Amino acid sequence: WRKKNICQLTCYQKGYGYAGDICCNADKKIRVPQPLPMPSSPAPMPSSPDPTPMPSKQRHCIDCTDIGNPWMQDMNEACEDSDFIGRKCIQNETWRKNKYCQATCYKEGLGYEEDVCCTNK
């Protein structure tokens, strides 16, 4: 579930958000700071329809760029069409340093540390 961010927003709203997630809910952008312990048995659903959000720092979103690395630029390869995204974004030091494909990486759940990109959903 965690690898594919299945039920990402619902899990967050129920208090079981994935580490590093930023969920937008009622104009709030919230980053889940660390992994939550997994219960040994399924916990009963909370009776309150509006659970208290997890404590975290609120961050304002920024307009992120979507500029690929030099090779991508030379080849006119758009970030959103690149096969590099899944294996480069936060996994590659050079990509992290230069924030290549910042917006696409963020949209794919591979955003750079501290980035909260504004998105038009």
Side-chain angles (χ1 to χ4, degrees):
W1 281 52
R2 288 181 181 187
K3 275 186 175 181
K4 295 185 179 185
N5 290 330
I6 295 173
C7 298
Q8 184 176 20
L9 180 58
T10 303
C11 288
Y12 163 76
Q13 290 171 332
K14 299 295 181 186
Y16 296 100
Y18 300 139
D21 274 357
I22 299 167
C23 294
C24 300
N25 188 3
D27 296 322
K28 294 180 184 174
K29 283 121 181 106
I30 300 173
R31 179 179 215 110
V32 178
Q34 58 188 349
L36 297 172
M38 294 300 294
S40 57
S41 62
M45 295 301 282
S47 58
S48 170
D50 190 18
T52 304
M54 288 180 264
S56 64
K57 295 186 223 173
Q58 288 189 357
R59 303 181 197 285
H60 296 286
C61 66
I62 58 172
D63 290 324
C64 293
T65 62
D66 218 17
I67 301 167
N69 67 16
W71 182 87
M72 291 172 64
Q73 292 176 49
D74 289 345
M75 301 302 290
N76 289 322
E77 183 172 339
C79 292
E80 61 190 16
D81 299 326
S82 178
D83 291 333
F84 288 140
I85 300 303
R87 51 194 166 101
K88 293 288 187 179
C89 295
I90 56 176
Q91 296 91 336
N92 182 281
E93 183 178 351
T94 301
W95 276 54
R96 286 191 308 268
K97 179 181 173 187
N98 294 287
K99 295 192 176 190
Y100 292 130
C101 298
Q102 184 181 26
T104 298
C105 290
Y106 177 81
K107 287 176 191 171
E108 294 297 320
L110 302 168
Y112 300 111
E113 188 172 345
E114 303 296 320
D115 282 358
V116 178
C117 297
C118 300
T119 57
N120 296 328
K121 291 186 177 186

